[in-house]
Amino acid sequence: MAERVPLILGSVFIALLAYKFFRPKKAFGDVPGPVPRSWLFGNMLELQLYSPYGKHEFEWQKQYGPIYSIKGCIGEDRLMVSDTTALRAILADTGDFRKSPQHQLVNKEVFGDGSVLYVHGEQHRRIRAVMNPAFSTAAIRARVHSLQACAQHLSEKWEARLEFQSTAGIFDIFQDIHETTLSGVTDAVMGYDVTNDKEFTKAYKNLVITGAKRSKIAIVAHAVLLALPPWAIDVLKLFPPRDFKTLLKHCNASQRRADIFLKSQIEARKLGIEPENDLFNVMRKMMSRILILEPHLRHRQVDSHKASAEVSLQEIKDQFGTITVAGEDTTANSIVWALYQLAKNLDYQKKIREEFVEAQENKRKEGLEFYESLPFLNALETLRFYSMVPYSERIAIKDTVIPVSQPITTRSGQQITQIPVKKGQYVQIAISSYHRLSSLWGPDAEEFNPMRWLDGRTKLGDKALGPYANLLTFLGGPRTCLGWRFAVLEMQIVLCELVRKFNLALPENSTIETAHAISLVPIHNRGDVELLLCISCA
Ligand code: HEM
């Protein structure tokens, strides 16, 4: 490896130079924005590194409006977008924009090139069409019992911990919630609970720790990775640095699990046992019979044009890690932040507890509809206030324009109603900023206030972009989060179970801030990622 280091460094240097000299010269028709702090980091440290998340971004939005330009590392051009008209055009996914190459590199290495997170165009439409039934309302409704069991397992664990305490116990709930959602997503969605699978959970936890690392070096490394020629990436795979090794290890572990699990499902089917309608089985049914029964054909590629509702075995396997990662961390941290707000506001806990008891006594609804019928629980605006994926990056794959709802005055004083974007320029779908727009959410948009959903002031009408409550939390358009219904139900179930059994409070002198890891994590005043809560039985 040592003898290859100068070669790799040399190519990085040449690639950076080539990037600097051949990248598009004029950014976004002169759209104003904050001055970058340096050429190396651009505005990326303010965007990604500093806590609380949004400290700079929300101020930029106030100063420059819902569209402004920023600089990425090594001179990249980026457009921050929270304007509804512009977002609608980008989210339509008509082929002008793709996911950013950094994300695509990671998605491919961690999940495989058949992952729904990685594929695009026709292959994406085909795989989504096959996966959709496993995430329909009917399919999610069938997961209620499984999710209730996960939530109950957690509450019993807390009860056991509190058994010998005369007063409240103070403990970190962060890991507990993550274990619950890992079990929830793997068991309820994929029919395979990984909690007791030590090898897989270790690989998964290491992946999350690696993905959550934020440092100046990691931020620049992301940009440099892009400048590497494809052969240098292949060398990296042969002699992977530690973080890259973690990604590959997780990929191998999840492929092995998917293999074992699918084999057992296929055997069960041969014996005439029809397994449940979880994701794997919904997808397995879409594999042609020949692919299941003839092992030598397993790696056959599915021809998108001939088989619009088919997937290959490899494509199914690639969804195992995809769903685990996409569904676990985001949902866990949404629950963590909801619990934080509940611990801060005892009144909120009381309201949820009362409406839960009242609904249970009246037995008006059950299952999914029961949770939907609890107004205050559903107004607890964690999904607006803490956007777990605070932004999503896209890159223009050709020269194009983005329409905007209000004219923009450029640095040179021109008024424009559409923004020219050059091939290779980045667009940031500013999800978190969108949720702070006072024009949409009211003058108190920067405050956590469930009442905005109950007193009739939140009316977006035809301006809605996302699939749930007019929020952009789960994005929108053809790449809308596949698991949004599942995530909402899991949050409802876990919060109800915990609030009806426990009183939550914040310990004295604890300061908690949001930090951007994979999603938004709580950083305690000691600098640790944790959420210490004072818990007693209700
Ligand atoms: C609160 C929890 C969640 C949040 C905030 C969230 C957010 C998102 C966002 C913003 C995207 C779009 C990413 C992009 O294109 O850049 C996405 C995609 C996706 N999410 Fe979620 N998600 C959550 C829970 C889940 C769950 C529980 C699952 C599965 C069980 C899931 C599965 C997926 C998948 C498969 C995609 C890729 C969809 C595609 O590209 O077609 N997510 N999610």
Side-chain angles (χ1 to χ4, degrees):
M1 174 64 186
E3 65 275 12
R4 291 189 189 249
V5 171
L7 192 65
I8 295 174
L9 289 179
S11 21
V12 171
F13 183 67
I14 292 167
L16 283 178
L17 281 184
Y19 184 73
K20 181 168 165 50
F21 289 112
F22 297 117
R23 77 193 159 84
K25 295 284 187 289
K26 199 174 178 201
F28 308 116
D30 230 3
V31 173
V35 178
R37 294 208 176 165
S38 68
W39 173 78
L40 187 62
F41 292 112
N43 300 102
M44 296 313 270
L45 301 184
E46 295 109 292
L47 188 70
Q48 296 187 339
L49 199 60
Y50 301 139
S51 298
Y53 180 84
K55 186 172 158 187
H56 297 276
E57 187 187 325
F58 302 153
E59 287 307 311
W60 292 336
Q61 175 162 273
K62 277 189 214 145
Q63 193 177 346
Y64 300 102
I67 295 208
Y68 55 91
S69 64
I70 60 166
K71 284 284 182 191
C73 293
I74 47 176
E76 287 163 3
D77 296 311
R78 285 171 183 258
L79 192 70
M80 293 291 286
V81 181
S82 56
D83 173 86
T84 317
T85 306
L87 285 172
R88 191 164 286 125
I90 298 162
L91 293 174
D93 208 21
T94 49
D96 290 0
F97 296 96
R98 286 253 175 94
K99 286 191 173 182
S100 80
Q102 286 104 325
H103 271 125
Q104 287 304 67
L105 181 69
V106 172
N107 285 341
K108 186 171 168 211
E109 299 310 330
V110 178
F111 307 123
D113 59 10
S115 161
V116 66
L117 278 168
Y118 176 75
V119 293
H120 54 84
E122 193 48 50
Q123 195 185 3
H124 177 252
R125 277 188 281 280
R126 175 171 56 77
I127 293 181
R128 275 264 334 196
V130 170
M131 292 174 84
N132 274 337
F135 291 92
S136 65
T137 309
I140 299 305
R141 185 177 286 118
R143 302 287 155 235
V144 169
H145 291 302
S146 166
L147 285 172
Q148 282 172 333
C150 287
Q152 201 177 336
H153 182 75
L154 172 64
S155 68
E156 282 166 5
K157 191 163 142 185
W158 284 10
E159 276 165 348
R161 242 183 247 166
L162 293 172
E163 205 173 83
F164 301 107
Q165 314 230 7
S166 50
T167 53
I170 296 184
F171 44 86
D172 175 20
I173 59 134
F174 187 81
Q175 280 311 329
D176 287 342
I177 300 296
H178 277 264
E179 274 163 28
T180 304
T181 54
L182 182 60
S183 172
V185 76
T186 52
D187 184 32
V189 183
M190 296 187 288
Y192 175 76
D193 186 349
V194 298
T195 358
N196 295 321
D197 184 337
K198 295 273 178 299
E199 191 205 343
F200 181 81
T201 43
K202 189 171 167 212
Y204 176 72
K205 278 183 185 160
N206 287 339
L207 176 82
V208 173
I209 293 167
T210 305
K213 276 186 199 164
R214 286 287 181 274
S215 65
K216 289 184 177 180
I217 292 182
I219 288 172
V220 170
H222 249 96
V224 170
L225 213 58
L226 262 197
L228 292 178
W231 67 262
I233 302 283
D234 291 339
V235 174
L236 264 182
K237 279 194 223 163
L238 289 177
F239 307 97
R242 205 178 58 197
D243 285 355
F244 209 73
K245 223 185 241 171
T246 311
L247 307 189
L248 300 178
K249 261 193 187 158
H250 173 267
C251 187
N252 291 338
S254 72
Q255 293 277 334
R256 273 200 300 277
R257 289 307 166 282
D259 233 346
I260 297 168
F261 182 64
L262 271 168
K263 262 186 205 144
S264 71
Q265 298 291 300
I266 289 166
E267 286 310 313
R269 204 182 108 165
K270 281 188 199 161
L271 293 172
I273 304 165
E274 198 46 54
E276 273 196 69
N277 251 5
D278 52 50
L279 172 66
F280 269 74
N281 285 299
V282 167
M283 294 191 79
R284 184 186 49 72
K285 283 178 198 154
M286 300 296 176
M287 285 194 306
S288 66
R289 209 177 142 66
I290 197 158
L291 283 173
I292 297 169
L293 300 177
E294 304 295 328
H296 64 282
L297 288 175
R298 278 185 181 180
H299 294 289
R300 192 194 80 168
Q301 290 298 310
V302 173
D303 180 340
S304 325
H305 299 293
K306 285 190 194 149
S308 58
E310 271 195 2
V311 277
S312 72
L313 198 60
Q314 189 54 49
E315 284 170 337
I316 297 183
K317 284 199 257 175
D318 290 348
Q319 312 316 323
F320 191 93
T322 306
I323 295 298
T324 313
V325 176
E328 190 283 309
D329 188 75
T330 43
T331 316
N333 288 332
S334 302
I335 296 173
V336 164
W337 285 112
L339 291 173
Y340 169 72
Q341 284 295 341
L342 288 167
K344 251 177 95 175
N345 300 284
L346 305 189
D347 194 34
Y348 296 172
Q349 293 175 46
K350 192 166 161 265
K351 283 188 173 133
I352 293 179
R353 212 171 282 139
E354 280 171 5
E355 70 182 13
F356 182 89
V357 171
E358 201 263 331
Q360 228 182 13
E361 280 170 0
N362 289 331
K363 290 197 172 105
R364 278 193 297 269
K365 305 252 165 63
E366 54 183 38
L368 190 125
E369 282 71 20
F370 172 82
Y371 294 101
E372 289 298 326
S373 75
L374 305 177
F376 198 84
L377 174 76
N378 292 299
L380 199 71
E381 53 170 7
T382 325
L383 292 171
R384 178 190 76 90
F385 199 73
Y386 301 97
S387 314
M388 281 307 122
V389 181
Y391 58 82
S392 181
E393 296 171 344
R394 298 289 186 263
I395 190 166
I397 55 166
K398 53 181 166 192
D399 290 356
T400 183
V401 289
I402 303 178
V404 287
S405 45
Q406 298 289 330
I408 290 177
T409 308
T410 64
R411 289 182 213 266
S412 48
Q414 228 190 327
Q415 289 252 311
I416 53 171
T417 51
Q418 47 181 24
I419 300 180
V421 182
K422 285 194 186 295
K423 180 180 171 180
Q425 290 187 318
Y426 284 83
V427 166
Q428 310 252 133
I429 301 171
I431 300 175
S432 221
S433 290
Y434 175 80
H435 292 148
R436 292 291 191 282
L437 285 172
S438 51
S439 54
L440 294 182
W441 311 104
D444 64 345
E446 291 197 21
E447 280 165 34
F448 186 92
N449 181 6
M451 289 316 289
R452 82 179 74 250
W453 299 94
L454 299 171
D455 60 16
R457 82 183 98 147
T458 305
K459 286 194 197 100
L460 288 191
D462 60 352
K463 288 190 195 146
L465 287 175
Y468 178 73
N470 298 336
L471 297 172
L472 200 55
T473 317
F474 299 109
L475 217 67
R479 296 212 83 115
T480 294
C481 171
L482 197 52
W484 70 267
R485 280 191 194 87
F486 181 84
V488 171
L489 178 66
E490 188 170 23
M491 286 180 71
Q492 291 167 332
I493 290 179
V494 174
L495 291 176
C496 276
E497 174 71 9
L498 297 180
V499 171
R500 80 192 174 92
K501 287 195 175 161
F502 304 99
N503 297 312
L504 314 165
L506 289 178
E508 272 176 34
N509 302 325
S510 74
T511 314
I512 304 289
E513 283 190 342
T514 46
H516 187 199
I518 294 178
S519 57
L520 292 188
V521 293
I523 298 270
H524 194 259
N525 38 9
R526 294 195 303 245
D528 300 324
V529 175
E530 61 181 15
L531 181 60
L532 293 176
L533 291 188
C534 209
I535 298 178
S536 61
C537 289

